[in-house]
Amino acid sequence: MQDPDKLFQQKIEAEIKIEPKDWMPDAYRKTLIRQISQHAHSEIVGMLPEGNWITRAPSLKRKAILLAKVQDEAGHGLYLYCATETLGVTRAQTINDLHSGKAKYSSIFNYPTLTWADIGAIGWLVDGAAILNQVMLCRTSYGPYARAMVRICKEESFHQRQGFEILLTLSRGTLEQKRMCQDAINRWYWPSLMMFGPNDSQSTHSEQSTIWKIKRMSNDELRQKFVDMIAGQVNVLGMTIPDKDLKWNEERKHYDFGEIDWNEFWNVVKGNGPCNKERLEARKKAWADGAWVREAASAYATKKNLKEKAA
């Protein structure tokens, strides 16, 4: 009898998707549960900094667009929670892990949105970084995750364009609006680079995830791709990247860039960022406030099932 781990890896190498009922190593399952649930939590928590500006958007049109975007993020979270459930864990378990601090979400969402320009910076920088990572995930080895990412990436592409358009409008406005635009870029640029995770040499999961084809590119490869993209786009805005070491390297055919403040990254990951406690408390309150909805839905489903059995 052939080794199941060897057969599994052969399937991975042949680009055959792993489905929920297929045999898989426990470590593969655990890695996916951690990654997909963290991704789901990030989509849901990511609604909070943008939701902060729904009532203060500068026009009805801007408000409608932002509402649509926040609704998209909620949908992304639901797709990903469903994908996590196919691995044998309940949604309640994943939510409890978030609330207890056991599960993490992207560190980027622990920063405050101080001005309307921040909504543009999130769209251009944060969603731009997310797209680079998530397009790769459309080819991830786990079927439900890959299929969920197809629609998510299409919607995130819209979000990035929307964010860039906000900044472009501000960059062509008054001196105060231009300053606001640059300030938002200054504050969100470095945290956006941190979104790709620690350097490859410090990453705990990247190597094995690449072998299993959960990931297709390393953290550093994705980060470089992002810098190359943003360094070109910022010229259209007439703004600057807050990195004195940013320069084109003719030999590498890539931009060189400065060192990330990893102390800040790990400090935020450990729960000490500007809005960590605020974000988690908001999620806990929303979960508690929504308990009656879940209970009513459960009672209705139970009653319906009883009627169907009696019929």
Side-chain angles (χ1 to χ4, degrees):
M1 185 177 178
Q2 284 188 285
D3 180 3
D5 284 284
K6 187 175 181 180
L7 287 171
F8 177 80
Q9 192 60 41
Q10 287 175 352
K11 197 172 181 180
I12 295 290
E13 296 301 328
E15 299 290 348
I16 299 172
K17 294 295 184 207
I18 307 302
E19 299 297 342
K21 292 183 179 180
D22 294 344
W23 183 89
M24 64 187 76
D26 287 342
Y28 177 84
R29 185 186 301 275
K30 288 179 181 177
T31 297
L32 282 170
I33 290 171
R34 175 192 58 78
Q35 180 171 327
I36 304 174
S37 64
Q38 179 176 307
H39 193 165
H41 298 327
S42 298
E43 296 285 357
I44 298 301
V45 175
M47 298 163 63
L48 296 173
E50 293 180 303
N52 182 43
W53 278 88
I54 288 175
T55 59
R56 296 182 289 162
S59 69
L60 180 60
K61 177 183 175 181
R62 296 290 187 191
K63 185 191 295 283
I65 294 171
L66 184 57
L67 272 169
K69 183 185 178 185
V70 172
Q71 287 177 321
D72 283 349
E73 307 295 3
H76 299 172
L78 292 176
Y79 305 152
L80 294 166
Y81 281 132
C82 288
T84 310
E85 288 174 313
T86 66
L87 292 159
V89 293
T90 65
R91 191 169 306 185
Q93 284 177 277
T94 59
I95 297 295
N96 287 338
D97 286 345
L98 172 65
H99 293 172
S100 68
K102 180 181 177 182
K104 303 297 183 182
Y105 55 87
S106 180
S107 60
I108 193 75
F109 299 119
N110 289 307
Y111 291 87
T113 44
L114 304 179
T115 70
W116 173 250
D118 287 33
I119 302 303
I122 288 175
W124 178 45
L125 295 172
V126 177
D127 292 332
I131 289 168
L132 287 180
N133 190 45
Q134 292 172 4
V135 165
M136 170 189 70
L137 292 172
C138 291
R139 297 188 297 119
T140 192
S141 59
Y142 188 57
Y145 194 18
R147 291 188 287 272
M149 292 313 305
V150 173
R151 177 168 177 173
I152 290 174
C153 285
K154 289 179 181 178
E155 293 177 348
E156 291 290 4
S157 295
F158 161 75
H159 298 167
Q160 185 190 27
R161 291 194 295 273
Q162 176 242 353
F164 189 81
E165 192 272 336
I166 289 174
L167 294 184
L168 186 62
T169 300
L170 292 172
S171 72
R172 294 173 176 175
T174 64
L175 182 60
E176 184 179 357
Q177 288 172 322
K178 291 177 181 178
R179 287 173 177 167
M180 187 167 66
C181 180
Q182 183 64 64
D183 175 65
I185 293 171
N186 291 348
R187 286 183 288 106
W188 288 94
Y189 176 73
W190 289 107
S192 295
L193 291 193
M194 297 176 196
M195 280 181 68
F196 297 100
N199 288 333
D200 294 341
S201 60
Q202 299 175 313
S203 179
T204 307
H205 306 284
S206 285
E207 185 177 356
Q208 185 59 63
S209 291
T210 302
I211 292 171
W212 282 328
K213 296 191 178 182
I214 294 173
K215 293 183 67 171
R216 298 282 178 157
M217 295 177 71
S218 73
N219 295 351
D220 288 338
E221 287 173 325
L222 288 167
R223 190 168 11 250
Q224 181 66 69
K225 195 173 181 180
F226 177 71
V227 171
D228 291 346
M229 178 181 73
I230 293 302
Q233 293 176 351
V234 74
N235 295 325
V236 179
L237 297 173
M239 299 290 145
T240 59
I241 295 296
D243 180 1
K244 60 181 176 57
D245 296 319
L246 183 72
K247 62 180 179 181
W248 177 253
N249 186 317
E250 186 60 34
E251 185 177 337
R252 292 198 314 120
K253 301 299 181 183
H254 288 291
Y255 279 91
D256 292 334
F257 56 96
E259 182 63 27
I260 293 169
D261 184 353
W262 292 112
N263 289 328
E264 177 183 339
F265 172 76
W266 290 115
N267 192 46
V268 176
V269 169
K270 291 175 182 177
N272 301 315
C275 299
N276 285 70
K277 293 179 181 178
E278 177 185 332
R279 299 288 186 246
L280 202 53
E281 286 305 312
R283 288 309 310 144
K284 288 179 180 178
K285 183 178 185 302
W287 183 253
D289 290 348
W292 70 273
V293 178
R294 297 190 299 276
E295 291 165 4
S298 178
Y300 175 79
T302 301
K303 187 176 180 180
K304 184 179 179 182
N305 287 337
L306 290 173
K307 281 186 178 181
E308 289 175 352
K309 287 180 181 179

